[in-house]
PDB file of all heavy atoms in Angstrom:
ATOM      1  N   LYS A  28     -43.073 187.233 -24.898  1.00 98.00           N
ATOM      2  CA  LYS A  28     -43.775 185.891 -24.719  1.00 98.00           C
ATOM      3  C   LYS A  28     -43.056 184.984 -25.775  1.00 98.00           C
ATOM      4  O   LYS A  28     -42.796 183.750 -25.437  1.00 98.00           O
ATOM      5  CB  LYS A  28     -45.318 186.008 -24.967  1.00 98.00           C
ATOM      6  CG  LYS A  28     -45.929 184.681 -25.079  1.00 98.00           C
ATOM      7  CD  LYS A  28     -47.402 184.768 -25.394  1.00 98.00           C
ATOM      8  CE  LYS A  28     -48.075 183.392 -25.446  1.00 98.00           C
ATOM      9  NZ  LYS A  28     -49.415 183.372 -25.959  1.00 98.00           N
ATOM     10  N   LYS A  29     -42.815 185.388 -27.023  1.00 98.00           N
ATOM     11  CA  LYS A  29     -42.296 184.538 -28.095  1.00 98.00           C
ATOM     12  C   LYS A  29     -40.830 184.142 -27.564  1.00 98.00           C
ATOM     13  O   LYS A  29     -40.388 183.036 -27.668  1.00 98.00           O
ATOM     14  CB  LYS A  29     -42.156 185.262 -29.280  1.00 98.00           C
ATOM     15  CG  LYS A  29     -41.510 184.386 -30.418  1.00 98.00           C
ATOM     16  CD  LYS A  29     -41.437 185.136 -31.773  1.00 98.00           C
ATOM     17  CE  LYS A  29     -41.010 184.220 -32.910  1.00 98.00           C
ATOM     18  NZ  LYS A  29     -39.609 183.646 -32.602  1.00 98.00           N
ATOM     19  N   ARG A  30     -40.033 185.046 -27.051  1.00 98.00           N
ATOM     20  CA  ARG A  30     -38.663 184.803 -26.574  1.00 98.00           C
ATOM     21  C   ARG A  30     -38.798 183.779 -25.458  1.00 98.00           C
ATOM     22  O   ARG A  30     -37.995 182.770 -25.477  1.00 98.00           O
ATOM     23  CB  ARG A  30     -37.988 186.062 -26.082  1.00 98.00           C
ATOM     24  CG  ARG A  30     -37.321 186.921 -27.195  1.00 98.00           C
ATOM     25  CD  ARG A  30     -36.477 187.945 -26.645  1.00 98.00           C
ATOM     26  NE  ARG A  30     -37.312 189.055 -26.048  1.00 98.00           N
ATOM     27  CZ  ARG A  30     -37.659 190.190 -26.671  1.00 98.00           C
ATOM     28  NH1 ARG A  30     -37.171 190.335 -27.895  1.00 98.00           N
ATOM     29  NH2 ARG A  30     -38.400 191.106 -26.074  1.00 98.00           N
ATOM     30  N   PHE A  31     -39.556 183.913 -24.501  1.00 98.00           N
ATOM     31  CA  PHE A  31     -39.677 183.018 -23.452  1.00 98.00           C
ATOM     32  C   PHE A  31     -40.235 181.681 -23.900  1.00 98.00           C
ATOM     33  O   PHE A  31     -39.714 180.589 -23.341  1.00 98.00           O
ATOM     34  CB  PHE A  31     -40.530 183.661 -22.252  1.00 98.00           C
ATOM     35  CG  PHE A  31     -40.588 182.746 -20.988  1.00 98.00           C
ATOM     36  CD1 PHE A  31     -39.351 182.490 -20.444  1.00 98.00           C
ATOM     37  CD2 PHE A  31     -41.660 182.267 -20.542  1.00 98.00           C
ATOM     38  CE1 PHE A  31     -39.254 181.740 -19.276  1.00 98.00           C
ATOM     39  CE2 PHE A  31     -41.571 181.423 -19.425  1.00 98.00           C
ATOM     40  CZ  PHE A  31     -40.409 181.253 -18.745  1.00 98.00           C
ATOM     41  N   ALA A  32     -41.226 181.703 -24.778  1.00 98.00           N
ATOM     42  CA  ALA A  32     -41.690 180.408 -25.221  1.00 98.00           C
ATOM     43  C   ALA A  32     -40.516 179.589 -25.912  1.00 98.00           C
ATOM     44  O   ALA A  32     -40.447 178.336 -25.719  1.00 98.00           O
ATOM     45  CB  ALA A  32     -42.842 180.582 -26.247  1.00 98.00           C
ATOM     46  N   ASP A  33     -39.709 180.230 -26.688  1.00 98.00           N
ATOM     47  CA  ASP A  33     -38.608 179.530 -27.229  1.00 98.00           C
ATOM     48  C   ASP A  33     -37.577 179.070 -26.120  1.00 98.00           C
ATOM     49  O   ASP A  33     -37.040 177.906 -26.242  1.00 98.00           O
ATOM     50  CB  ASP A  33     -37.785 180.562 -28.123  1.00 98.00           C
ATOM     51  CG  ASP A  33     -38.511 181.012 -29.416  1.00 98.00           C
ATOM     52  OD1 ASP A  33     -39.459 180.184 -29.715  1.00 98.00           O
ATOM     53  OD2 ASP A  33     -38.173 182.003 -30.069  1.00 98.00           O
ATOM     54  N   ALA A  34     -37.469 179.815 -25.122  1.00 98.00           N
ATOM     55  CA  ALA A  34     -36.551 179.413 -24.039  1.00 98.00           C
ATOM     56  C   ALA A  34     -37.140 178.187 -23.326  1.00 98.00           C
ATOM     57  O   ALA A  34     -36.475 177.208 -22.862  1.00 98.00           O
ATOM     58  CB  ALA A  34     -36.337 180.470 -23.006  1.00 98.00           C
ATOM     59  N   VAL A  35     -38.544 178.096 -23.172  1.00 98.00           N
ATOM     60  CA  VAL A  35     -39.074 177.046 -22.488  1.00 98.00           C
ATOM     61  C   VAL A  35     -38.939 175.757 -23.349  1.00 98.00           C
ATOM     62  O   VAL A  35     -38.573 174.651 -22.816  1.00 98.00           O
ATOM     63  CB  VAL A  35     -40.612 177.302 -22.134  1.00 98.00           C
ATOM     64  CG1 VAL A  35     -41.285 176.047 -21.794  1.00 98.00           C
ATOM     65  CG2 VAL A  35     -40.716 178.360 -21.149  1.00 98.00           C
ATOM     66  N   GLU A  36     -39.069 175.892 -24.608  1.00 98.00           N
ATOM     67  CA  GLU A  36     -38.771 174.773 -25.487  1.00 98.00           C
ATOM     68  C   GLU A  36     -37.381 174.345 -25.377  1.00 98.00           C
ATOM     69  O   GLU A  36     -37.090 173.153 -25.437  1.00 98.00           O
ATOM     70  CB  GLU A  36     -39.259 175.136 -26.842  1.00 98.00           C
ATOM     71  CG  GLU A  36     -39.077 173.946 -27.888  1.00 98.00           C
ATOM     72  CD  GLU A  36     -39.781 172.685 -27.647  1.00 98.00           C
ATOM     73  OE1 GLU A  36     -40.835 172.855 -26.883  1.00 98.00           O
ATOM     74  OE2 GLU A  36     -39.432 171.729 -28.155  1.00 98.00           O
ATOM     75  N   ASP A  37     -36.508 175.244 -25.400  1.00 97.00           N
ATOM     76  CA  ASP A  37     -35.027 174.967 -25.275  1.00 97.00           C
ATOM     77  C   ASP A  37     -34.723 174.219 -24.023  1.00 97.00           C
ATOM     78  O   ASP A  37     -33.852 173.331 -23.959  1.00 97.00           O
ATOM     79  CB  ASP A  37     -34.260 176.262 -25.345  1.00 97.00           C
ATOM     80  CG  ASP A  37     -32.789 176.028 -25.702  1.00 97.00           C
ATOM     81  OD1 ASP A  37     -32.415 174.957 -26.304  1.00 97.00           O
ATOM     82  OD2 ASP A  37     -31.972 176.938 -25.314  1.00 97.00           O
ATOM     83  N   ILE A  38     -35.347 174.635 -22.926  1.00 98.00           N
ATOM     84  CA  ILE A  38     -35.001 173.956 -21.549  1.00 98.00           C
ATOM     85  C   ILE A  38     -35.675 172.615 -21.450  1.00 98.00           C
ATOM     86  O   ILE A  38     -35.430 171.794 -20.563  1.00 98.00           O
ATOM     87  CB  ILE A  38     -35.429 174.864 -20.443  1.00 98.00           C
ATOM     88  CG1 ILE A  38     -34.530 174.554 -19.210  1.00 98.00           C
ATOM     89  CG2 ILE A  38     -36.894 174.725 -20.082  1.00 98.00           C
ATOM     90  CD1 ILE A  38     -33.104 174.965 -19.363  1.00 98.00           C
ATOM     91  N   ARG A  39     -36.620 172.261 -22.371  1.00 98.00           N
ATOM     92  CA  ARG A  39     -37.446 171.011 -22.339  1.00 98.00           C
ATOM     93  C   ARG A  39     -36.536 169.867 -22.794  1.00 98.00           C
ATOM     94  O   ARG A  39     -36.874 169.226 -23.801  1.00 98.00           O
ATOM     95  CB  ARG A  39     -38.629 171.131 -23.222  1.00 98.00           C
ATOM     96  CG  ARG A  39     -39.642 169.979 -22.932  1.00 98.00           C
ATOM     97  CD  ARG A  39     -40.978 170.175 -23.808  1.00 98.00           C
ATOM     98  NE  ARG A  39     -40.720 170.149 -25.216  1.00 98.00           N
ATOM     99  CZ  ARG A  39     -40.603 168.969 -25.952  1.00 98.00           C
ATOM    100  NH1 ARG A  39     -40.656 167.814 -25.376  1.00 98.00           N
ATOM    101  NH2 ARG A  39     -40.311 169.152 -27.237  1.00 98.00           N
ATOM    102  N   THR A  40     -35.316 169.716 -22.089  1.00 98.00           N
ATOM    103  CA  THR A  40     -34.217 168.816 -22.608  1.00 98.00           C
ATOM    104  C   THR A  40     -33.835 167.991 -21.441  1.00 98.00           C
ATOM    105  O   THR A  40     -33.371 168.644 -20.336  1.00 98.00           O
ATOM    106  CB  THR A  40     -33.152 169.602 -23.182  1.00 98.00           C
ATOM    107  OG1 THR A  40     -33.662 170.403 -24.251  1.00 98.00           O
ATOM    108  CG2 THR A  40     -31.969 168.721 -23.730  1.00 98.00           C
ATOM    109  N   GLY A  41     -33.844 166.718 -21.514  1.00 97.00           N
ATOM    110  CA  GLY A  41     -33.292 165.890 -20.547  1.00 97.00           C
ATOM    111  C   GLY A  41     -31.951 165.220 -20.857  1.00 97.00           C
ATOM    112  O   GLY A  41     -31.517 165.283 -22.008  1.00 97.00           O
ATOM    113  N   LYS A  42     -31.297 164.725 -19.766  1.00 97.00           N
ATOM    114  CA  LYS A  42     -29.924 164.184 -20.058  1.00 97.00           C
ATOM    115  C   LYS A  42     -29.723 163.015 -19.140  1.00 97.00           C
ATOM    116  O   LYS A  42     -29.829 163.070 -17.891  1.00 97.00           O
ATOM    117  CB  LYS A  42     -28.927 165.292 -19.640  1.00 97.00           C
ATOM    118  CG  LYS A  42     -27.405 164.822 -19.750  1.00 97.00           C
ATOM    119  CD  LYS A  42     -26.827 164.348 -18.416  1.00 97.00           C
ATOM    120  CE  LYS A  42     -25.435 163.838 -18.593  1.00 97.00           C
ATOM    121  NZ  LYS A  42     -25.000 163.089 -17.566  1.00 97.00           N
ATOM    122  N   LEU A  43     -29.607 161.824 -19.754  1.00 97.00           N
ATOM    123  CA  LEU A  43     -29.531 160.585 -18.936  1.00 97.00           C
ATOM    124  C   LEU A  43     -28.434 159.767 -19.623  1.00 97.00           C
ATOM    125  O   LEU A  43     -28.517 158.594 -19.955  1.00 97.00           O
ATOM    126  CB  LEU A  43     -30.805 159.855 -18.943  1.00 97.00           C
ATOM    127  CG  LEU A  43     -31.965 160.506 -18.288  1.00 97.00           C
ATOM    128  CD1 LEU A  43     -33.386 159.877 -18.767  1.00 97.00           C
ATOM    129  CD2 LEU A  43     -31.861 160.564 -16.771  1.00 97.00           C
ATOM    130  N   SER A  44     -27.246 160.393 -19.725  1.00 96.00           N
ATOM    131  CA  SER A  44     -26.024 159.809 -20.411  1.00 96.00           C
ATOM    132  C   SER A  44     -24.870 159.412 -19.553  1.00 96.00           C
ATOM    133  O   SER A  44     -23.804 159.040 -20.039  1.00 96.00           O
ATOM    134  CB  SER A  44     -25.659 160.685 -21.539  1.00 96.00           C
ATOM    135  OG  SER A  44     -25.262 161.925 -21.028  1.00 96.00           O
ATOM    136  N   GLY A  45     -25.081 159.486 -18.267  1.00 95.00           N
ATOM    137  CA  GLY A  45     -24.009 158.929 -17.345  1.00 95.00           C
ATOM    138  C   GLY A  45     -22.983 159.968 -16.991  1.00 95.00           C
ATOM    139  O   GLY A  45     -23.148 161.095 -17.222  1.00 95.00           O
ATOM    140  N   ALA A  46     -21.989 159.465 -16.289  1.00 94.00           N
ATOM    141  CA  ALA A  46     -21.115 160.220 -15.514  1.00 94.00           C
ATOM    142  C   ALA A  46     -20.374 161.335 -16.391  1.00 94.00           C
ATOM    143  O   ALA A  46     -20.196 162.463 -15.972  1.00 94.00           O
ATOM    144  CB  ALA A  46     -20.028 159.369 -14.796  1.00 94.00           C
ATOM    145  N   MET A  47     -19.890 160.991 -17.585  1.00 94.00           N
ATOM    146  CA  MET A  47     -19.350 162.016 -18.402  1.00 94.00           C
ATOM    147  C   MET A  47     -20.070 162.242 -19.720  1.00 94.00           C
ATOM    148  O   MET A  47     -19.680 162.902 -20.574  1.00 94.00           O
ATOM    149  CB  MET A  47     -17.841 161.533 -18.848  1.00 94.00           C
ATOM    150  CG  MET A  47     -16.825 161.545 -17.715  1.00 94.00           C
ATOM    151  SD  MET A  47     -16.514 163.191 -17.105  1.00 94.00           S
ATOM    152  CE  MET A  47     -17.253 163.203 -15.500  1.00 94.00           C
ATOM    153  N   GLY A  48     -21.238 161.687 -19.779  1.00 95.00           N
ATOM    154  CA  GLY A  48     -22.122 161.833 -20.974  1.00 95.00           C
ATOM    155  C   GLY A  48     -21.760 160.944 -22.045  1.00 95.00           C
ATOM    156  O   GLY A  48     -22.299 161.056 -23.204  1.00 95.00           O
ATOM    157  N   THR A  49     -21.031 159.877 -21.743  1.00 96.00           N
ATOM    158  CA  THR A  49     -20.589 158.874 -22.855  1.00 96.00           C
ATOM    159  C   THR A  49     -21.278 157.527 -22.677  1.00 96.00           C
ATOM    160  O   THR A  49     -20.857 156.543 -23.358  1.00 96.00           O
ATOM    161  CB  THR A  49     -19.051 158.722 -22.684  1.00 96.00           C
ATOM    162  OG1 THR A  49     -18.716 158.309 -21.409  1.00 96.00           O
ATOM    163  CG2 THR A  49     -18.335 159.962 -23.111  1.00 96.00           C
ATOM    164  N   TYR A  50     -22.363 157.398 -21.968  1.00 96.00           N
ATOM    165  CA  TYR A  50     -23.131 156.163 -21.808  1.00 96.00           C
ATOM    166  C   TYR A  50     -22.243 155.006 -21.377  1.00 96.00           C
ATOM    167  O   TYR A  50     -22.299 153.892 -22.046  1.00 96.00           O
ATOM    168  CB  TYR A  50     -23.882 155.876 -23.192  1.00 96.00           C
ATOM    169  CG  TYR A  50     -24.679 156.965 -23.711  1.00 96.00           C
ATOM    170  CD1 TYR A  50     -24.141 157.823 -24.628  1.00 96.00           C
ATOM    171  CD2 TYR A  50     -25.945 157.195 -23.208  1.00 96.00           C
ATOM    172  CE1 TYR A  50     -24.909 158.865 -25.284  1.00 96.00           C
ATOM    173  CE2 TYR A  50     -26.702 158.286 -23.740  1.00 96.00           C
ATOM    174  CZ  TYR A  50     -26.112 159.052 -24.731  1.00 96.00           C
ATOM    175  OH  TYR A  50     -26.925 160.179 -25.219  1.00 96.00           O
ATOM    176  N   THR A  51     -21.494 155.174 -20.303  1.00 96.00           N
ATOM    177  CA  THR A  51     -20.706 154.044 -19.746  1.00 96.00           C
ATOM    178  C   THR A  51     -21.585 152.820 -19.455  1.00 96.00           C
ATOM    179  O   THR A  51     -21.211 151.687 -19.775  1.00 96.00           O
ATOM    180  CB  THR A  51     -19.983 154.484 -18.570  1.00 96.00           C
ATOM    181  OG1 THR A  51     -19.131 155.709 -18.822  1.00 96.00           O
ATOM    182  CG2 THR A  51     -18.967 153.404 -18.080  1.00 96.00           C
ATOM    183  N   VAL A  52     -22.649 152.952 -18.860  1.00 96.00           N
ATOM    184  CA  VAL A  52     -23.581 151.828 -18.412  1.00 96.00           C
ATOM    185  C   VAL A  52     -24.858 152.042 -19.168  1.00 96.00           C
ATOM    186  O   VAL A  52     -25.420 151.138 -19.823  1.00 96.00           O
ATOM    187  CB  VAL A  52     -23.744 151.868 -16.903  1.00 96.00           C
ATOM    188  CG1 VAL A  52     -24.749 150.806 -16.592  1.00 96.00           C
ATOM    189  CG2 VAL A  52     -22.407 151.538 -16.172  1.00 96.00           C
ATOM    190  N   ILE A  53     -25.413 153.282 -18.944  1.00 97.00           N
ATOM    191  CA  ILE A  53     -26.739 153.418 -19.694  1.00 97.00           C
ATOM    192  C   ILE A  53     -26.561 153.521 -21.178  1.00 97.00           C
ATOM    193  O   ILE A  53     -25.500 153.676 -21.614  1.00 97.00           O
ATOM    194  CB  ILE A  53     -27.390 154.751 -19.045  1.00 97.00           C
ATOM    195  CG1 ILE A  53     -29.033 154.797 -19.177  1.00 97.00           C
ATOM    196  CG2 ILE A  53     -26.773 156.015 -19.632  1.00 97.00           C
ATOM    197  CD1 ILE A  53     -29.699 155.807 -18.385  1.00 97.00           C
ATOM    198  N   THR A  54     -27.658 153.502 -21.897  1.00 97.00           N
ATOM    199  CA  THR A  54     -27.558 153.517 -23.305  1.00 97.00           C
ATOM    200  C   THR A  54     -28.286 154.670 -23.912  1.00 97.00           C
ATOM    201  O   THR A  54     -29.320 155.144 -23.341  1.00 97.00           O
ATOM    202  CB  THR A  54     -28.055 152.254 -24.034  1.00 97.00           C
ATOM    203  OG1 THR A  54     -29.453 152.119 -23.668  1.00 97.00           O
ATOM    204  CG2 THR A  54     -27.432 151.002 -23.255  1.00 97.00           C
ATOM    205  N   PRO A  55     -27.996 155.019 -25.134  1.00 97.00           N
ATOM    206  CA  PRO A  55     -28.847 156.149 -25.749  1.00 97.00           C
ATOM    207  C   PRO A  55     -30.211 155.761 -25.954  1.00 97.00           C
ATOM    208  O   PRO A  55     -31.118 156.624 -25.837  1.00 97.00           O
ATOM    209  CB  PRO A  55     -28.144 156.211 -27.127  1.00 97.00           C
ATOM    210  CG  PRO A  55     -26.703 155.913 -26.916  1.00 97.00           C
ATOM    211  CD  PRO A  55     -26.773 154.687 -25.933  1.00 97.00           C
ATOM    212  N   ALA A  56     -30.545 154.482 -26.117  1.00 97.00           N
ATOM    213  CA  ALA A  56     -31.852 154.045 -26.317  1.00 97.00           C
ATOM    214  C   ALA A  56     -32.672 154.221 -25.002  1.00 97.00           C
ATOM    215  O   ALA A  56     -33.798 154.572 -24.998  1.00 97.00           O
ATOM    216  CB  ALA A  56     -31.971 152.605 -26.750  1.00 97.00           C
ATOM    217  N   VAL A  57     -32.051 153.906 -23.908  1.00 98.00           N
ATOM    218  CA  VAL A  57     -32.745 154.041 -22.613  1.00 98.00           C
ATOM    219  C   VAL A  57     -32.964 155.572 -22.302  1.00 98.00           C
ATOM    220  O   VAL A  57     -34.007 155.937 -21.799  1.00 98.00           O
ATOM    221  CB  VAL A  57     -31.840 153.368 -21.453  1.00 98.00           C
ATOM    222  CG1 VAL A  57     -32.503 153.771 -20.129  1.00 98.00           C
ATOM    223  CG2 VAL A  57     -31.857 151.837 -21.602  1.00 98.00           C
ATOM    224  N   GLU A  58     -31.933 156.343 -22.573  1.00 98.00           N
ATOM    225  CA  GLU A  58     -32.091 157.788 -22.384  1.00 98.00           C
ATOM    226  C   GLU A  58     -33.253 158.255 -23.193  1.00 98.00           C
ATOM    227  O   GLU A  58     -34.103 159.059 -22.764  1.00 98.00           O
ATOM    228  CB  GLU A  58     -30.803 158.533 -22.857  1.00 98.00           C
ATOM    229  CG  GLU A  58     -30.925 160.044 -22.702  1.00 98.00           C
ATOM    230  CD  GLU A  58     -29.698 160.728 -23.286  1.00 98.00           C
ATOM    231  OE1 GLU A  58     -29.305 160.466 -24.452  1.00 98.00           O
ATOM    232  OE2 GLU A  58     -29.119 161.600 -22.566  1.00 98.00           O
ATOM    233  N   ALA A  59     -33.330 157.912 -24.541  1.00 98.00           N
ATOM    234  CA  ALA A  59     -34.299 158.489 -25.366  1.00 98.00           C
ATOM    235  C   ALA A  59     -35.727 158.096 -24.998  1.00 98.00           C
ATOM    236  O   ALA A  59     -36.636 158.895 -24.988  1.00 98.00           O
ATOM    237  CB  ALA A  59     -34.061 158.030 -26.819  1.00 98.00           C
ATOM    238  N   ARG A  60     -35.786 156.786 -24.435  1.00 98.00           N
ATOM    239  CA  ARG A  60     -37.139 156.331 -24.132  1.00 98.00           C
ATOM    240  C   ARG A  60     -37.572 156.919 -22.776  1.00 98.00           C
ATOM    241  O   ARG A  60     -38.740 157.339 -22.596  1.00 98.00           O
ATOM    242  CB  ARG A  60     -37.051 154.758 -23.924  1.00 98.00           C
ATOM    243  CG  ARG A  60     -38.406 154.128 -23.439  1.00 98.00           C
ATOM    244  CD  ARG A  60     -39.546 154.451 -24.283  1.00 98.00           C
ATOM    245  NE  ARG A  60     -40.721 153.900 -23.760  1.00 98.00           N
ATOM    246  CZ  ARG A  60     -42.001 154.476 -23.799  1.00 98.00           C
ATOM    247  NH1 ARG A  60     -42.144 155.685 -24.280  1.00 98.00           N
ATOM    248  NH2 ARG A  60     -43.070 153.935 -23.283  1.00 98.00           N
ATOM    249  N   ALA A  61     -36.656 157.078 -21.771  1.00 98.00           N
ATOM    250  CA  ALA A  61     -36.951 157.722 -20.521  1.00 98.00           C
ATOM    251  C   ALA A  61     -37.491 159.145 -20.753  1.00 98.00           C
ATOM    252  O   ALA A  61     -38.413 159.689 -20.195  1.00 98.00           O
ATOM    253  CB  ALA A  61     -35.752 157.632 -19.556  1.00 98.00           C
ATOM    254  N   CYS A  62     -36.702 159.887 -21.605  1.00 98.00           N
ATOM    255  CA  CYS A  62     -37.052 161.252 -21.980  1.00 98.00           C
ATOM    256  C   CYS A  62     -38.407 161.414 -22.664  1.00 98.00           C
ATOM    257  O   CYS A  62     -39.290 162.310 -22.346  1.00 98.00           O
ATOM    258  CB  CYS A  62     -36.075 161.944 -22.741  1.00 98.00           C
ATOM    259  SG  CYS A  62     -34.492 162.381 -21.921  1.00 98.00           S
ATOM    260  N   GLU A  63     -38.692 160.391 -23.509  1.00 98.00           N
ATOM    261  CA  GLU A  63     -40.024 160.290 -24.095  1.00 98.00           C
ATOM    262  C   GLU A  63     -41.104 160.068 -23.138  1.00 98.00           C
ATOM    263  O   GLU A  63     -42.150 160.860 -23.250  1.00 98.00           O
ATOM    264  CB  GLU A  63     -40.050 159.229 -25.201  1.00 98.00           C
ATOM    265  CG  GLU A  63     -41.360 159.098 -25.940  1.00 98.00           C
ATOM    266  CD  GLU A  63     -41.436 157.893 -26.889  1.00 98.00           C
ATOM    267  OE1 GLU A  63     -40.613 156.933 -26.661  1.00 98.00           O
ATOM    268  OE2 GLU A  63     -42.231 157.864 -27.708  1.00 98.00           O
ATOM    269  N   ILE A  64     -40.888 159.273 -22.195  1.00 98.00           N
ATOM    270  CA  ILE A  64     -41.881 158.947 -21.099  1.00 98.00           C
ATOM    271  C   ILE A  64     -42.195 160.268 -20.409  1.00 98.00           C
ATOM    272  O   ILE A  64     -43.325 160.608 -19.986  1.00 98.00           O
ATOM    273  CB  ILE A  64     -41.417 157.869 -20.095  1.00 98.00           C
ATOM    274  CG1 ILE A  64     -41.401 156.537 -20.840  1.00 98.00           C
ATOM    275  CG2 ILE A  64     -42.227 157.793 -18.903  1.00 98.00           C
ATOM    276  CD1 ILE A  64     -40.714 155.465 -20.107  1.00 98.00           C
ATOM    277  N   LEU A  65     -41.158 161.127 -20.180  1.00 98.00           N
ATOM    278  CA  LEU A  65     -41.250 162.372 -19.402  1.00 98.00           C
ATOM    279  C   LEU A  65     -41.704 163.478 -20.134  1.00 98.00           C
ATOM    280  O   LEU A  65     -41.968 164.573 -19.636  1.00 98.00           O
ATOM    281  CB  LEU A  65     -39.873 162.625 -18.767  1.00 98.00           C
ATOM    282  CG  LEU A  65     -39.348 161.646 -17.728  1.00 98.00           C
ATOM    283  CD1 LEU A  65     -37.825 161.924 -17.362  1.00 98.00           C
ATOM    284  CD2 LEU A  65     -40.255 161.738 -16.365  1.00 98.00           C
ATOM    285  N   GLY A  66     -41.781 163.416 -21.439  1.00 98.00           N
ATOM    286  CA  GLY A  66     -42.140 164.505 -22.349  1.00 98.00           C
ATOM    287  C   GLY A  66     -41.176 165.447 -22.662  1.00 98.00           C
ATOM    288  O   GLY A  66     -41.357 166.637 -22.920  1.00 98.00           O
TER     289      GLY A  66
END
């Protein structure tokens, strides 16, 4: 249970940084806020 709880927390990660992850159009602030909204 502990191992899996750690894995669930690890997977609780969003990514909204664009095509290569370099924020070509979207911004880190938008990514952070959207992820916050989603928990």
Side-chain angles (χ1 to χ4, degrees):
K28 180 187 173 185
K29 181 181 184 302
R30 276 187 289 263
F31 186 60
D33 291 342
V35 172
E36 179 60 22
D37 197 23
I38 206 69
R39 193 177 63 83
T40 303
K42 179 266 177 194
L43 300 162
S44 51
M47 290 294 111
T49 56
Y50 306 99
T51 304
V52 176
I53 204 167
T54 68
V57 170
E58 177 188 52
R60 176 59 182 140
C62 286
E63 181 184 19
I64 291 168
L65 295 167

